[in-house]
Amino acid sequence: MAVIGIDISKQKFDCAWLREVSTGKVKARVFPNRRQDFPLFLEWFEQQTGEPREQLHVVMEATGIYH
């Protein structure tokens, strides 16, 4: 299972994919926080991990109004 963390704000969301648990290697990318751009995030995730979106496990901290 691939795990991705998201820090979300009004204009953008920062994603960090934990590529390698043992070494702590992370791959990061920033996406616009617009509904029409959400599919870009899913495509990026699938391309990077080689896993289907059904295996996506997203973690975010619920600290504001944008989560």
Side-chain angles (χ1 to χ4, degrees):
M1 169 179 47
V3 177
I4 201 157
I6 297 179
D7 181 23
I8 198 155
S9 67
K10 186 175 182 178
Q11 299 297 320
K12 65 183 177 100
F13 61 100
D14 298 81
C15 301
W17 166 47
L18 182 58
R19 285 181 22 195
E20 205 171 301
V21 176
S22 61
T23 62
K25 289 187 179 179
V26 175
K27 180 97 178 194
R29 181 149 176 207
V30 178
F31 295 92
N33 189 6
R34 299 181 305 201
R35 184 178 301 272
Q36 67 266 25
D37 292 319
F38 294 165
L40 295 174
F41 160 70
L42 294 173
E43 291 170 14
W44 173 78
F45 173 79
E46 288 178 324
Q47 289 173 352
Q48 295 299 312
T49 65
E51 295 188 32
R53 55 184 75 179
E54 293 80 23
Q55 295 298 314
L56 174 62
H57 187 86
V58 177
V59 179
M60 64 172 54
E61 184 179 9
T63 58
I65 62 172
Y66 302 112
H67 66 276

Short mmCIF file of all heavy atoms in Angstrom, two decimals:
data_model
loop_
_atom_site.label_atom_id
_atom_site.label_comp_id
_atom_site.label_asym_id
_atom_site.label_seq_id
_atom_site.Cartn_x
_atom_site.Cartn_y
_atom_site.Cartn_z
N MET A 1 0.85 -1.18 0.00
CA MET A 1 0.00 0.00 0.00
C MET A 1 0.89 1.24 0.00
O MET A 1 1.82 1.35 0.79
CB MET A 1 -0.88 -0.01 1.24
CG MET A 1 -1.60 1.30 1.45
SD MET A 1 -2.71 1.39 2.87
CE MET A 1 -1.77 0.72 4.19
N ALA A 2 0.62 2.14 -0.91
CA ALA A 2 1.35 3.40 -0.97
C ALA A 2 0.68 4.42 -0.07
O ALA A 2 -0.55 4.48 0.00
CB ALA A 2 1.40 3.91 -2.40
N VAL A 3 1.49 5.22 0.62
CA VAL A 3 0.97 6.23 1.54
C VAL A 3 1.42 7.61 1.07
O VAL A 3 2.59 7.81 0.74
CB VAL A 3 1.48 5.98 2.97
CG1 VAL A 3 1.01 7.07 3.91
CG2 VAL A 3 1.03 4.62 3.46
N ILE A 4 0.49 8.54 1.06
CA ILE A 4 0.79 9.90 0.65
C ILE A 4 0.22 10.86 1.68
O ILE A 4 -0.89 10.66 2.18
CB ILE A 4 0.26 10.17 -0.76
CG1 ILE A 4 0.96 11.33 -1.40
CG2 ILE A 4 -1.21 10.38 -0.79
CD1 ILE A 4 0.90 11.31 -2.89
N GLY A 5 1.00 11.86 2.04
CA GLY A 5 0.55 12.89 2.97
C GLY A 5 0.26 14.16 2.22
O GLY A 5 0.96 14.49 1.25
N ILE A 6 -0.75 14.87 2.63
CA ILE A 6 -1.14 16.10 1.95
C ILE A 6 -1.25 17.24 2.97
O ILE A 6 -1.88 17.09 4.01
CB ILE A 6 -2.49 15.95 1.22
CG1 ILE A 6 -2.37 14.89 0.13
CG2 ILE A 6 -2.95 17.28 0.65
CD1 ILE A 6 -3.66 14.65 -0.63
N ASP A 7 -0.63 18.35 2.61
CA ASP A 7 -0.79 19.60 3.37
C ASP A 7 -1.56 20.52 2.44
O ASP A 7 -1.07 20.89 1.37
CB ASP A 7 0.58 20.19 3.72
CG ASP A 7 0.45 21.48 4.53
OD1 ASP A 7 -0.60 21.67 5.18
OD2 ASP A 7 1.39 22.28 4.51
N ILE A 8 -2.76 20.86 2.81
CA ILE A 8 -3.66 21.57 1.90
C ILE A 8 -3.89 23.01 2.34
O ILE A 8 -3.93 23.31 3.53
CB ILE A 8 -4.99 20.79 1.77
CG1 ILE A 8 -5.76 21.23 0.55
CG2 ILE A 8 -5.80 20.88 3.02
CD1 ILE A 8 -6.70 20.18 0.04
N SER A 9 -3.97 23.88 1.35
CA SER A 9 -4.27 25.29 1.61
C SER A 9 -5.25 25.77 0.54
O SER A 9 -5.65 25.01 -0.33
CB SER A 9 -3.00 26.13 1.59
OG SER A 9 -2.45 26.15 0.29
N LYS A 10 -5.61 27.01 0.61
CA LYS A 10 -6.62 27.56 -0.30
C LYS A 10 -6.18 27.47 -1.76
O LYS A 10 -6.96 27.10 -2.64
CB LYS A 10 -6.91 29.01 0.06
CG LYS A 10 -8.04 29.61 -0.75
CD LYS A 10 -8.36 31.01 -0.27
CE LYS A 10 -9.53 31.58 -1.04
NZ LYS A 10 -9.89 32.92 -0.57
N GLN A 11 -4.94 27.79 -2.06
CA GLN A 11 -4.46 27.86 -3.45
C GLN A 11 -3.79 26.59 -3.96
O GLN A 11 -3.73 26.37 -5.16
CB GLN A 11 -3.48 29.02 -3.59
CG GLN A 11 -4.07 30.37 -3.28
CD GLN A 11 -5.19 30.75 -4.23
OE1 GLN A 11 -5.11 30.51 -5.43
NE2 GLN A 11 -6.25 31.33 -3.70
N LYS A 12 -3.26 25.76 -3.05
CA LYS A 12 -2.49 24.60 -3.49
C LYS A 12 -2.53 23.49 -2.45
O LYS A 12 -2.99 23.70 -1.33
CB LYS A 12 -1.04 25.00 -3.73
CG LYS A 12 -0.34 25.44 -2.46
CD LYS A 12 1.08 25.89 -2.73
CE LYS A 12 1.73 26.39 -1.45
NZ LYS A 12 2.60 25.44 -0.83
N PHE A 13 -2.08 22.30 -2.88
CA PHE A 13 -1.85 21.25 -1.90
C PHE A 13 -0.53 20.57 -2.21
O PHE A 13 -0.20 20.29 -3.34
CB PHE A 13 -3.02 20.28 -1.74
CG PHE A 13 -3.43 19.49 -2.95
CD1 PHE A 13 -3.03 18.17 -3.10
CD2 PHE A 13 -4.26 20.05 -3.91
CE1 PHE A 13 -3.43 17.43 -4.18
CE2 PHE A 13 -4.67 19.30 -5.00
CZ PHE A 13 -4.25 17.99 -5.15
N ASP A 14 0.25 20.40 -1.15
CA ASP A 14 1.57 19.79 -1.23
C ASP A 14 1.43 18.31 -0.89
O ASP A 14 0.85 17.97 0.15
CB ASP A 14 2.53 20.44 -0.23
CG ASP A 14 2.75 21.90 -0.52
OD1 ASP A 14 1.90 22.73 -0.14
OD2 ASP A 14 3.77 22.21 -1.15
N CYS A 15 1.96 17.46 -1.76
CA CYS A 15 1.88 16.02 -1.55
C CYS A 15 3.26 15.45 -1.32
O CYS A 15 4.22 15.85 -1.97
CB CYS A 15 1.29 15.35 -2.78
SG CYS A 15 -0.35 15.93 -3.18
N ALA A 16 3.35 14.51 -0.41
CA ALA A 16 4.60 13.81 -0.15
C ALA A 16 4.31 12.31 -0.13
O ALA A 16 3.51 11.84 0.68
CB ALA A 16 5.20 14.24 1.18
N TRP A 17 4.94 11.59 -1.04
CA TRP A 17 4.79 10.14 -1.11
C TRP A 17 6.01 9.50 -0.47
O TRP A 17 7.15 9.77 -0.86
CB TRP A 17 4.65 9.70 -2.57
CG TRP A 17 4.83 8.24 -2.81
CD1 TRP A 17 4.25 7.23 -2.10
CD2 TRP A 17 5.64 7.64 -3.80
NE1 TRP A 17 4.65 6.01 -2.61
CE2 TRP A 17 5.50 6.24 -3.67
CE3 TRP A 17 6.44 8.13 -4.82
CZ2 TRP A 17 6.15 5.34 -4.49
CZ3 TRP A 17 7.09 7.23 -5.64
CH2 TRP A 17 6.94 5.86 -5.47
N LEU A 18 5.80 8.67 0.51
CA LEU A 18 6.88 7.96 1.18
C LEU A 18 7.29 6.80 0.28
O LEU A 18 6.67 5.74 0.27
CB LEU A 18 6.43 7.47 2.55
CG LEU A 18 7.47 6.74 3.39
CD1 LEU A 18 8.70 7.63 3.62
CD2 LEU A 18 6.86 6.29 4.70
N ARG A 19 8.35 7.03 -0.52
CA ARG A 19 8.81 6.05 -1.51
C ARG A 19 9.44 4.82 -0.87
O ARG A 19 9.24 3.71 -1.35
CB ARG A 19 9.86 6.67 -2.44
CG ARG A 19 9.30 7.58 -3.44
CD ARG A 19 10.35 8.16 -4.35
NE ARG A 19 11.57 7.39 -4.43
CZ ARG A 19 12.69 7.84 -4.94
NH1 ARG A 19 12.75 9.06 -5.40
NH2 ARG A 19 13.77 7.10 -4.99
N GLU A 20 10.25 5.06 0.13
CA GLU A 20 10.99 3.97 0.75
C GLU A 20 10.97 4.14 2.26
O GLU A 20 11.61 5.05 2.79
CB GLU A 20 12.42 3.98 0.22
CG GLU A 20 13.11 2.66 0.28
CD GLU A 20 14.43 2.71 -0.45
OE1 GLU A 20 14.45 3.00 -1.65
OE2 GLU A 20 15.44 2.45 0.22
N VAL A 21 10.25 3.29 2.92
CA VAL A 21 10.08 3.40 4.36
C VAL A 21 11.40 3.26 5.10
O VAL A 21 11.71 4.03 6.00
CB VAL A 21 9.06 2.36 4.88
CG1 VAL A 21 8.95 2.41 6.39
CG2 VAL A 21 7.70 2.58 4.23
N SER A 22 12.21 2.29 4.70
CA SER A 22 13.45 2.01 5.44
C SER A 22 14.45 3.16 5.40
O SER A 22 15.18 3.38 6.37
CB SER A 22 14.11 0.73 4.91
OG SER A 22 14.44 0.89 3.54
N THR A 23 14.49 3.90 4.30
CA THR A 23 15.45 5.01 4.19
C THR A 23 14.79 6.37 4.37
O THR A 23 15.48 7.38 4.47
CB THR A 23 16.15 4.99 2.83
OG1 THR A 23 15.16 5.15 1.80
CG2 THR A 23 16.92 3.70 2.62
N GLY A 24 13.47 6.41 4.38
CA GLY A 24 12.76 7.68 4.53
C GLY A 24 12.73 8.52 3.27
O GLY A 24 12.46 9.72 3.33
N LYS A 25 12.98 7.90 2.11
CA LYS A 25 12.95 8.66 0.85
C LYS A 25 11.53 9.09 0.52
O LYS A 25 10.59 8.30 0.60
CB LYS A 25 13.52 7.82 -0.29
CG LYS A 25 15.00 7.64 -0.20
CD LYS A 25 15.54 6.95 -1.42
CE LYS A 25 17.05 6.80 -1.29
NZ LYS A 25 17.60 6.12 -2.46
N VAL A 26 11.41 10.35 0.14
CA VAL A 26 10.11 10.95 -0.15
C VAL A 26 10.14 11.60 -1.53
O VAL A 26 11.14 12.19 -1.93
CB VAL A 26 9.76 12.02 0.91
CG1 VAL A 26 8.48 12.75 0.56
CG2 VAL A 26 9.64 11.39 2.28
N LYS A 27 9.05 11.49 -2.25
CA LYS A 27 8.87 12.19 -3.53
C LYS A 27 7.75 13.19 -3.29
O LYS A 27 6.68 12.84 -2.80
CB LYS A 27 8.48 11.20 -4.62
CG LYS A 27 8.28 11.78 -5.96
CD LYS A 27 9.52 11.63 -6.78
CE LYS A 27 9.29 12.20 -8.16
NZ LYS A 27 10.29 11.80 -9.09
N ALA A 28 7.99 14.46 -3.63
CA ALA A 28 7.00 15.51 -3.36
C ALA A 28 6.58 16.23 -4.63
O ALA A 28 7.34 16.28 -5.60
CB ALA A 28 7.59 16.51 -2.37
N ARG A 29 5.39 16.77 -4.58
CA ARG A 29 4.87 17.58 -5.69
C ARG A 29 3.77 18.50 -5.17
O ARG A 29 3.07 18.16 -4.21
CB ARG A 29 4.33 16.69 -6.80
CG ARG A 29 3.81 17.49 -7.97
CD ARG A 29 3.96 16.81 -9.26
NE ARG A 29 3.33 17.63 -10.28
CZ ARG A 29 2.82 17.18 -11.39
NH1 ARG A 29 2.88 15.90 -11.66
NH2 ARG A 29 2.27 18.00 -12.25
N VAL A 30 3.61 19.63 -5.82
CA VAL A 30 2.58 20.61 -5.46
C VAL A 30 1.56 20.68 -6.59
O VAL A 30 1.92 20.72 -7.76
CB VAL A 30 3.22 22.01 -5.22
CG1 VAL A 30 2.14 23.03 -4.88
CG2 VAL A 30 4.27 21.93 -4.13
N PHE A 31 0.28 20.70 -6.22
CA PHE A 31 -0.82 20.78 -7.18
C PHE A 31 -1.71 21.96 -6.83
O PHE A 31 -1.88 22.30 -5.66
CB PHE A 31 -1.67 19.51 -7.13
CG PHE A 31 -0.95 18.28 -7.56
CD1 PHE A 31 -0.29 17.49 -6.63
CD2 PHE A 31 -0.91 17.91 -8.89
CE1 PHE A 31 0.39 16.35 -7.02
CE2 PHE A 31 -0.23 16.78 -9.30
CZ PHE A 31 0.42 15.99 -8.36
N PRO A 32 -2.34 22.58 -7.85
CA PRO A 32 -3.32 23.63 -7.57
C PRO A 32 -4.53 23.03 -6.85
O PRO A 32 -4.93 21.91 -7.15
CB PRO A 32 -3.73 24.14 -8.95
CG PRO A 32 -2.74 23.59 -9.91
CD PRO A 32 -2.14 22.37 -9.28
N ASN A 33 -5.08 23.75 -5.92
CA ASN A 33 -6.25 23.29 -5.19
C ASN A 33 -7.51 23.72 -5.94
O ASN A 33 -8.25 24.61 -5.51
CB ASN A 33 -6.26 23.82 -3.76
CG ASN A 33 -7.34 23.18 -2.92
OD1 ASN A 33 -8.01 22.27 -3.37
ND2 ASN A 33 -7.51 23.65 -1.70
N ARG A 34 -7.71 23.07 -7.07
CA ARG A 34 -8.90 23.32 -7.90
C ARG A 34 -9.46 21.97 -8.32
O ARG A 34 -8.71 21.07 -8.71
CB ARG A 34 -8.54 24.13 -9.13
CG ARG A 34 -7.97 25.50 -8.81
CD ARG A 34 -7.67 26.26 -10.07
NE ARG A 34 -6.79 25.45 -10.92
CZ ARG A 34 -6.03 25.95 -11.88
NH1 ARG A 34 -6.03 27.23 -12.12
NH2 ARG A 34 -5.27 25.16 -12.60
N ARG A 35 -10.76 21.86 -8.26
CA ARG A 35 -11.42 20.59 -8.58
C ARG A 35 -10.97 20.03 -9.93
O ARG A 35 -10.73 18.82 -10.05
CB ARG A 35 -12.93 20.76 -8.56
CG ARG A 35 -13.69 19.46 -8.79
CD ARG A 35 -15.18 19.66 -8.71
NE ARG A 35 -15.60 20.18 -7.43
CZ ARG A 35 -15.90 19.43 -6.37
NH1 ARG A 35 -15.81 18.13 -6.44
NH2 ARG A 35 -16.28 19.98 -5.24
N GLN A 36 -10.82 20.85 -10.94
CA GLN A 36 -10.47 20.36 -12.26
C GLN A 36 -9.04 19.80 -12.32
O GLN A 36 -8.70 19.07 -13.24
CB GLN A 36 -10.66 21.43 -13.35
CG GLN A 36 -9.72 22.61 -13.25
CD GLN A 36 -10.29 23.78 -12.48
OE1 GLN A 36 -11.15 23.63 -11.64
NE2 GLN A 36 -9.79 24.98 -12.77
N ASP A 37 -8.23 20.12 -11.33
CA ASP A 37 -6.85 19.62 -11.29
C ASP A 37 -6.68 18.37 -10.43
O ASP A 37 -5.60 17.78 -10.41
CB ASP A 37 -5.90 20.72 -10.81
CG ASP A 37 -5.79 21.85 -11.80
OD1 ASP A 37 -5.71 21.57 -13.01
OD2 ASP A 37 -5.80 23.02 -11.38
N PHE A 38 -7.70 17.94 -9.72
CA PHE A 38 -7.58 16.77 -8.87
C PHE A 38 -7.19 15.51 -9.65
O PHE A 38 -6.41 14.70 -9.17
CB PHE A 38 -8.85 16.52 -8.06
CG PHE A 38 -9.13 17.60 -7.03
CD1 PHE A 38 -10.37 17.68 -6.45
CD2 PHE A 38 -8.17 18.52 -6.66
CE1 PHE A 38 -10.65 18.67 -5.50
CE2 PHE A 38 -8.44 19.51 -5.72
CZ PHE A 38 -9.68 19.58 -5.15
N PRO A 39 -7.71 15.31 -10.88
CA PRO A 39 -7.27 14.13 -11.64
C PRO A 39 -5.76 14.12 -11.91
O PRO A 39 -5.17 13.04 -12.02
CB PRO A 39 -8.06 14.23 -12.95
CG PRO A 39 -9.29 14.98 -12.58
CD PRO A 39 -8.82 15.99 -11.55
N LEU A 40 -5.12 15.29 -12.00
CA LEU A 40 -3.67 15.33 -12.19
C LEU A 40 -2.96 14.68 -11.02
O LEU A 40 -1.96 13.98 -11.20
CB LEU A 40 -3.19 16.78 -12.33
CG LEU A 40 -3.67 17.56 -13.53
CD1 LEU A 40 -3.21 19.00 -13.44
CD2 LEU A 40 -3.15 16.91 -14.79
N PHE A 41 -3.46 14.90 -9.81
CA PHE A 41 -2.89 14.27 -8.63
C PHE A 41 -3.00 12.75 -8.73
O PHE A 41 -2.03 12.03 -8.48
CB PHE A 41 -3.60 14.77 -7.36
CG PHE A 41 -3.42 13.87 -6.18
CD1 PHE A 41 -2.19 13.75 -5.56
CD2 PHE A 41 -4.49 13.13 -5.69
CE1 PHE A 41 -2.01 12.91 -4.47
CE2 PHE A 41 -4.32 12.30 -4.61
CZ PHE A 41 -3.08 12.19 -4.00
N LEU A 42 -4.17 12.24 -9.09
CA LEU A 42 -4.36 10.80 -9.18
C LEU A 42 -3.46 10.19 -10.25
O LEU A 42 -2.88 9.12 -10.07
CB LEU A 42 -5.82 10.48 -9.45
CG LEU A 42 -6.78 10.83 -8.31
CD1 LEU A 42 -8.22 10.63 -8.74
CD2 LEU A 42 -6.46 10.03 -7.07
N GLU A 43 -3.33 10.87 -11.39
CA GLU A 43 -2.45 10.39 -12.46
C GLU A 43 -1.01 10.36 -11.99
O GLU A 43 -0.28 9.40 -12.25
CB GLU A 43 -2.59 11.27 -13.70
CG GLU A 43 -3.92 11.14 -14.40
CD GLU A 43 -4.11 12.19 -15.48
OE1 GLU A 43 -3.13 12.86 -15.87
OE2 GLU A 43 -5.26 12.34 -15.91
N TRP A 44 -0.57 11.41 -11.31
CA TRP A 44 0.80 11.47 -10.79
C TRP A 44 1.06 10.31 -9.84
O TRP A 44 2.07 9.63 -9.93
CB TRP A 44 1.05 12.80 -10.09
CG TRP A 44 2.36 12.90 -9.39
CD1 TRP A 44 3.58 13.12 -9.97
CD2 TRP A 44 2.61 12.76 -7.99
NE1 TRP A 44 4.56 13.15 -9.01
CE2 TRP A 44 3.99 12.92 -7.78
CE3 TRP A 44 1.81 12.52 -6.89
CZ2 TRP A 44 4.57 12.85 -6.52
CZ3 TRP A 44 2.38 12.46 -5.64
CH2 TRP A 44 3.75 12.61 -5.47
N PHE A 45 0.11 10.09 -8.94
CA PHE A 45 0.25 9.02 -7.96
C PHE A 45 0.41 7.67 -8.65
O PHE A 45 1.31 6.90 -8.34
CB PHE A 45 -0.94 9.00 -7.02
CG PHE A 45 -0.94 7.82 -6.10
CD1 PHE A 45 -0.13 7.81 -4.98
CD2 PHE A 45 -1.71 6.71 -6.38
CE1 PHE A 45 -0.10 6.72 -4.14
CE2 PHE A 45 -1.69 5.61 -5.54
CZ PHE A 45 -0.89 5.62 -4.42
N GLU A 46 -0.46 7.39 -9.61
CA GLU A 46 -0.40 6.11 -10.31
C GLU A 46 0.91 5.96 -11.08
O GLU A 46 1.50 4.88 -11.08
CB GLU A 46 -1.59 5.95 -11.24
CG GLU A 46 -2.90 5.71 -10.50
CD GLU A 46 -4.09 5.60 -11.42
OE1 GLU A 46 -4.14 6.31 -12.45
OE2 GLU A 46 -4.97 4.79 -11.12
N GLN A 47 1.37 7.01 -11.73
CA GLN A 47 2.62 6.95 -12.49
C GLN A 47 3.81 6.72 -11.57
O GLN A 47 4.72 5.96 -11.90
CB GLN A 47 2.82 8.23 -13.29
CG GLN A 47 1.89 8.38 -14.45
CD GLN A 47 2.02 9.74 -15.11
OE1 GLN A 47 2.71 10.62 -14.60
NE2 GLN A 47 1.34 9.92 -16.23
N GLN A 48 3.85 7.40 -10.45
CA GLN A 48 4.98 7.29 -9.54
C GLN A 48 5.07 5.93 -8.86
O GLN A 48 6.14 5.36 -8.73
CB GLN A 48 4.93 8.39 -8.46
CG GLN A 48 5.08 9.78 -8.99
CD GLN A 48 6.42 9.98 -9.69
OE1 GLN A 48 7.47 9.62 -9.17
NE2 GLN A 48 6.38 10.56 -10.87
N THR A 49 3.94 5.42 -8.41
CA THR A 49 3.94 4.20 -7.61
C THR A 49 3.72 2.93 -8.42
O THR A 49 4.08 1.86 -7.97
CB THR A 49 2.84 4.26 -6.53
OG1 THR A 49 1.56 4.27 -7.17
CG2 THR A 49 3.01 5.47 -5.64
N GLY A 50 3.06 3.07 -9.57
CA GLY A 50 2.70 1.88 -10.34
C GLY A 50 1.53 1.13 -9.73
O GLY A 50 1.23 0.01 -10.12
N GLU A 51 0.87 1.74 -8.76
CA GLU A 51 -0.27 1.11 -8.09
C GLU A 51 -1.57 1.78 -8.53
O GLU A 51 -1.59 2.97 -8.83
CB GLU A 51 -0.13 1.22 -6.58
CG GLU A 51 1.04 0.46 -6.02
CD GLU A 51 1.04 0.44 -4.51
OE1 GLU A 51 -0.05 0.46 -3.91
OE2 GLU A 51 2.13 0.40 -3.94
N PRO A 52 -2.66 1.03 -8.53
CA PRO A 52 -3.95 1.63 -8.89
C PRO A 52 -4.44 2.57 -7.79
O PRO A 52 -4.07 2.43 -6.62
CB PRO A 52 -4.88 0.43 -9.03
CG PRO A 52 -4.27 -0.62 -8.18
CD PRO A 52 -2.78 -0.39 -8.23
N ARG A 53 -5.28 3.51 -8.18
CA ARG A 53 -5.78 4.49 -7.20
C ARG A 53 -6.59 3.85 -6.08
O ARG A 53 -6.73 4.44 -5.02
CB ARG A 53 -6.55 5.62 -7.87
CG ARG A 53 -7.68 5.21 -8.76
CD ARG A 53 -8.33 6.38 -9.46
NE ARG A 53 -7.46 6.84 -10.55
CZ ARG A 53 -7.75 7.81 -11.37
NH1 ARG A 53 -8.87 8.44 -11.27
NH2 ARG A 53 -6.92 8.17 -12.30
N GLU A 54 -7.07 2.63 -6.29
CA GLU A 54 -7.79 1.94 -5.22
C GLU A 54 -6.86 1.62 -4.05
O GLU A 54 -7.31 1.37 -2.94
CB GLU A 54 -8.43 0.64 -5.74
CG GLU A 54 -9.55 0.86 -6.73
CD GLU A 54 -9.05 1.14 -8.14
OE1 GLU A 54 -7.91 0.76 -8.49
OE2 GLU A 54 -9.81 1.76 -8.90
N GLN A 55 -5.55 1.60 -4.29
CA GLN A 55 -4.56 1.31 -3.25
C GLN A 55 -4.04 2.58 -2.59
O GLN A 55 -3.17 2.52 -1.73
CB GLN A 55 -3.39 0.52 -3.84
CG GLN A 55 -3.78 -0.85 -4.33
CD GLN A 55 -4.29 -1.73 -3.21
OE1 GLN A 55 -3.70 -1.79 -2.14
NE2 GLN A 55 -5.40 -2.42 -3.45
N LEU A 56 -4.54 3.72 -3.00
CA LEU A 56 -4.10 5.00 -2.46
C LEU A 56 -4.56 5.16 -1.01
O LEU A 56 -5.73 4.96 -0.69
CB LEU A 56 -4.69 6.13 -3.31
CG LEU A 56 -4.48 7.56 -2.85
CD1 LEU A 56 -3.00 7.89 -2.80
CD2 LEU A 56 -5.20 8.52 -3.78
N HIS A 57 -3.63 5.50 -0.16
CA HIS A 57 -3.94 5.77 1.24
C HIS A 57 -3.45 7.18 1.53
O HIS A 57 -2.26 7.44 1.54
CB HIS A 57 -3.24 4.75 2.14
CG HIS A 57 -3.64 4.87 3.56
ND1 HIS A 57 -4.75 4.24 4.07
CD2 HIS A 57 -3.10 5.56 4.58
CE1 HIS A 57 -4.85 4.52 5.35
NE2 HIS A 57 -3.87 5.33 5.69
N VAL A 58 -4.38 8.10 1.73
CA VAL A 58 -4.06 9.51 1.91
C VAL A 58 -4.21 9.89 3.37
O VAL A 58 -5.19 9.52 4.03
CB VAL A 58 -4.98 10.41 1.05
CG1 VAL A 58 -4.70 11.87 1.28
CG2 VAL A 58 -4.82 10.07 -0.42
N VAL A 59 -3.24 10.64 3.88
CA VAL A 59 -3.26 11.10 5.26
C VAL A 59 -3.14 12.62 5.24
O VAL A 59 -2.30 13.18 4.55
CB VAL A 59 -2.08 10.51 6.05
CG1 VAL A 59 -2.07 11.00 7.47
CG2 VAL A 59 -2.10 9.00 5.99
N MET A 60 -4.03 13.29 5.97
CA MET A 60 -3.91 14.74 6.10
C MET A 60 -4.32 15.15 7.51
O MET A 60 -5.14 14.50 8.15
CB MET A 60 -4.72 15.48 5.04
CG MET A 60 -6.20 15.30 5.09
SD MET A 60 -7.11 16.36 3.95
CE MET A 60 -6.37 16.05 2.41
N GLU A 61 -3.70 16.21 7.95
CA GLU A 61 -4.00 16.75 9.26
C GLU A 61 -5.18 17.70 9.14
O GLU A 61 -5.15 18.64 8.34
CB GLU A 61 -2.77 17.49 9.81
CG GLU A 61 -2.96 18.00 11.19
CD GLU A 61 -1.72 18.71 11.69
OE1 GLU A 61 -0.79 18.94 10.91
OE2 GLU A 61 -1.70 19.05 12.87
N ALA A 62 -6.21 17.46 9.89
CA ALA A 62 -7.43 18.27 9.82
C ALA A 62 -7.28 19.47 10.76
O ALA A 62 -7.76 19.46 11.88
CB ALA A 62 -8.64 17.44 10.21
N THR A 63 -6.63 20.53 10.27
CA THR A 63 -6.38 21.68 11.12
C THR A 63 -7.06 22.96 10.65
O THR A 63 -7.02 23.96 11.34
CB THR A 63 -4.86 21.97 11.22
OG1 THR A 63 -4.36 22.18 9.90
CG2 THR A 63 -4.14 20.83 11.88
N GLY A 64 -7.65 22.94 9.48
CA GLY A 64 -8.23 24.17 8.97
C GLY A 64 -9.48 23.89 8.17
O GLY A 64 -10.02 22.78 8.18
N ILE A 65 -9.92 24.87 7.42
CA ILE A 65 -11.18 24.75 6.67
C ILE A 65 -11.01 24.06 5.32
O ILE A 65 -12.00 23.77 4.67
CB ILE A 65 -11.81 26.13 6.47
CG1 ILE A 65 -10.89 27.04 5.65
CG2 ILE A 65 -12.16 26.77 7.79
CD1 ILE A 65 -11.52 28.35 5.23
N TYR A 66 -9.79 23.77 4.88
CA TYR A 66 -9.58 23.25 3.53
C TYR A 66 -9.45 21.74 3.46
O TYR A 66 -9.35 21.18 2.40
CB TYR A 66 -8.34 23.89 2.91
CG TYR A 66 -8.45 25.39 2.88
CD1 TYR A 66 -7.63 26.16 3.66
CD2 TYR A 66 -9.39 26.01 2.08
CE1 TYR A 66 -7.73 27.56 3.66
CE2 TYR A 66 -9.52 27.39 2.07
CZ TYR A 66 -8.69 28.15 2.86
OH TYR A 66 -8.81 29.51 2.84
N HIS A 67 -9.44 21.05 4.57
CA HIS A 67 -9.24 19.60 4.53
C HIS A 67 -10.47 18.85 4.09
O HIS A 67 -11.50 18.91 4.08
CB HIS A 67 -8.76 19.05 5.86
CG HIS A 67 -9.75 19.17 6.97
ND1 HIS A 67 -9.87 20.31 7.70
CD2 HIS A 67 -10.68 18.30 7.46
CE1 HIS A 67 -10.81 20.14 8.62
NE2 HIS A 67 -11.32 18.95 8.50
#
